Every structure is written in C-alpha cells, then in structure tokens.
Amino acid sequence: MENLSTKDIVKKYEFRFSKSLGQNFLIDNSVLGDIVNSAEVNKEDLVIEIGPGVGTLTKELLKKAKKVCAIELDSDLIPILNEELKEFDNFELIHKDALKVDFKEIIGKEDSVKVVANLPYYVTTPIISRLLNEQYKFKSLTIMIQKEVGERIAAKPNTKEYGALSILVQYYCDIDIIRRVSPASFIPRPKVDSIVLRLSKLDSPRAEVKDKDMFFKVVRQCFNMRRKTMWNALKGLKLPGETIESAFKNAGVDQKRRGETLSIAEFARLADSICELL
Ligand code: SAM
C-alpha cells in the first residue's frame, strides 16, 4: 500500500474543505508523532477518534491500537476513508455527528478506551463536556484544540482564563500540556494557534461532593457573573438569603470573594454546605 501524505490524498480525491465543519487537516509529521506517542496507545486499546478527516492520524493509531473507531460527519470523507484505510481490519467508521453518537454502544465491553482527536474547533467544548459529564468509561482524551481553549482548560484560580471549563476538566482529569502547534502545520491554515493536551481521567473526581449537579450549578452561577461577588452571583440560585449566608459561613468561604478566586475544594465545600441546609 502506498504511503500517501494528507496533501496527496486531498489532491487524489479533489477533496473540497468545509469551513463550517472545522476542517483543518494535519500535515506535520512531528505533531502527528507527538499526538500518537502522548496518547500511549497499545494493542489492548479501543481508540475512539473524533473527526478523522482523510485518515492521516487514524492510520498511525490503527498501527498501534487493538481497534480504532472513527466518527466522521462529512459524507464526502466516508468513501475516502474506506478506500485509504481498507488494509486495516481493526478499523470501524461511523458516519455520524460526534455530539449525537451513542458512545456507550461504541465502548461496549471494552475496558481500555482512549479518545484521540484533532477536534473540529467549533464543537470542542460541547464534545469535551459531553465526554466528561456523561461518565463514559475512557482512560484518557488526547486532543488538539485551539490554544486559547487549552489555556482555559489548564487555568488556575486567580487568572482571567480560569472558569467553568477549567473546573469541569480539572474535576475529572489530570492535564498534561503536550505541545503548541502553529497554523503552518495544517491545510488550510487556521487563523489561530493550537495546542495538544492529554486529559487523564482520575479514578475518582478531584473533590468528593454530596450532589454533583449542585456543585456544577454553583460553579456555573459564579462564572456567569464573574464580575460579581459570590454572594451576588449565588442570589441566582433563588434560595433564601439566610441559607446562602449560612452556607458561606459553614464552608469557611468569604462571601465577598469572586468565583474566579475559589479552588475546586472550596467550590465543593460551598456546594455541600448549601445541600446540608436544603
Ligand atoms: N483528524 C484529521 C486531521 O488531523 O487531519 C482532521 C481534523 S479536522 C480539524 C476535524 C474533522 O472533524 C473533520 O474531518 C470534520 O469533517 C470532522 N467533523 C466536524 N464536525 C464533526 C462532528 N460534529 N462529528 C464528527 N466529525 C466532525
């Protein structure tokens, strides 16, 4: 089988890029190598790839994994992928929207599952949120995303990047920044820089909470109104003033602080104190 580059495959099939599907294909082999190596894929793994494009990353994953299941939305890419990857019997292609696909069904009984993707930037946050919130059984998520989103994910308290997305990911995962990637590594070139992150799922969430929904509700409320004090932000929960006041006191958190200064442990204490008073 000839080893065609991304550019060769695009040319061979006269593929036309769709901007609205976030199609920026990787052409840089050093980035490709870093993604595959940092994902630490081995013959026990089911790899789920979101958005395989013309299959450049997919091919490298297929050489290392037990099986690769790729989810691609663009109908024009389906015949290209089937043709270019036909030599691999461990490849499964699902022609669907990754936001709607049934991950539980894909994962089945596999117990070593890793997600690897050069994500379409317009759906980065919904895909990450879905994978984490819905408690799928995967070990890690190695993703290339827009640099700014990566910085928000890895942000620490007291920075302008710290927000609900940082807390969601850090609550469930350890984060490793693998490398930065310039627009020159793609065709067509995106307008923004990219970053590769590895999110390794923790055995249990970073903080124990009585009610996850309340924890994330408090977090969202505080970051929806990030300029306001916690006290003002939590008025949105529509609870009696005394309840909120007691919750701050019991949690040992000053109600005049802003949400962006709180650690995950402090958010957890506050949410638990609210639950205890309800
Ligand atoms: N993996 C390829 C690479 O690295 O060269 C392509 C990455 S490109 C940034 C994103 C891919 O995701 C495209 O192939 C695009 O068609 C696909 N895509 C876009 N939206 C999608 C969705 N909602 N579900 C599944 N795939 C999607």
Side-chain angles (χ1 to χ4, degrees):
M1 194 82 188
E2 54 184 338
N3 210 2
L4 296 179
S5 69
T6 304
K7 278 183 183 164
D8 293 335
I9 301 174
V10 165
K11 210 164 149 200
K12 176 173 164 191
Y13 295 91
E14 295 177 354
F15 177 74
R16 289 179 175 274
F17 290 94
S18 154
K19 215 173 174 181
S20 64
L21 285 177
Q23 290 178 340
N24 302 99
F25 294 172
L26 193 56
I27 52 167
D28 183 330
N29 284 335
S30 90
V31 178
L32 192 66
D34 287 346
I35 295 176
V36 174
N37 290 336
S38 59
E40 293 175 351
V41 173
N42 62 56
K43 284 289 169 199
E44 273 153 33
D45 296 332
L46 163 67
V47 172
I48 300 178
E49 189 193 3
I50 297 167
V54 293
T56 321
L57 175 59
T58 325
K59 196 172 200 172
E60 297 313 307
L61 294 168
L62 281 162
K63 291 177 193 164
K64 300 206 157 187
K66 175 164 121 188
K67 180 176 171 184
V68 176
C69 182
I71 305 161
E72 176 56 61
L73 181 58
D74 187 348
S75 322
D76 290 348
L77 288 168
I78 303 302
I80 301 178
L81 286 159
N82 279 327
E83 175 59 25
E84 291 304 315
L85 300 173
K86 66 181 177 202
E87 70 190 280
F88 295 96
D89 56 11
N90 55 344
F91 177 53
E92 185 185 340
L93 182 57
I94 298 184
H95 180 200
K96 276 202 180 134
D97 182 341
L99 287 173
K100 296 187 184 142
V101 83
D102 184 348
F103 283 106
K104 261 207 183 97
E105 197 182 308
I106 296 174
I107 293 168
K109 292 200 165 62
E110 295 293 338
D111 57 13
S112 187
V113 184
K114 292 171 182 164
V115 177
V116 182
N118 169 14
L119 283 176
Y121 294 168
Y122 78 107
V123 280
T124 302
T125 310
I127 285 182
I128 295 175
S129 306
R130 190 170 172 223
L131 286 168
L132 294 177
N133 278 326
E134 294 184 22
Q135 304 288 306
Y136 296 115
K137 203 178 61 176
F138 63 82
K139 287 187 172 165
S140 64
L141 191 58
T142 305
I143 45 172
M144 179 144 62
I145 56 178
Q146 188 178 332
K147 185 174 132 256
E148 282 70 25
V149 180
E151 285 167 353
R152 277 168 44 211
I153 286 176
K156 297 283 171 241
N158 293 305
T159 61
K160 69 176 186 334
E161 290 81 17
Y162 186 60
L165 183 62
S166 330
I167 294 184
L168 170 69
V169 179
Q170 293 172 31
Y171 180 74
Y172 288 114
C173 303
D174 275 335
I175 301 166
D176 289 300
I177 297 176
I178 307 301
R179 64 170 289 169
R180 286 165 208 281
V181 182
S182 88
S185 297
F186 304 90
I187 49 163
R189 290 184 183 204
K191 289 201 176 70
V192 293
D193 285 333
S194 303
I195 199 164
V196 179
L197 296 184
R198 185 183 51 218
L199 315 180
S200 310
K201 195 99 171 275
L202 297 165
D203 291 334
S204 50
R206 198 166 301 278
E208 229 179 88
V209 291
K210 291 189 192 309
D211 176 355
K212 249 180 223 169
D213 288 343
M214 177 58 84
F215 171 74
F216 285 111
K217 213 182 212 173
V218 169
V219 169
R220 273 197 308 274
Q221 202 64 37
C222 289
F223 288 106
N224 279 346
M225 303 185 188
R226 44 184 319 142
R227 304 309 312 152
K228 298 201 171 172
T229 62
M230 296 279 294
W231 164 253
N232 275 313
L234 289 192
K235 268 192 203 160
L237 290 177
K238 307 223 174 338
L239 296 170
E242 315 85 76
T243 305
I244 306 245
E245 204 148 309
S246 307
F248 279 111
K249 211 188 252 162
N250 298 348
V253 173
D254 182 345
Q255 62 192 44
K256 292 199 204 75
R257 284 169 66 185
R258 294 212 176 113
E260 64 200 30
T261 68
L262 263 68
S263 65
I264 290 182
E266 287 174 312
F267 272 116
R269 284 210 312 268
L270 187 58
D272 278 359
S273 303
I274 294 173
C275 287
E276 277 160 13
L277 293 161
L278 293 181

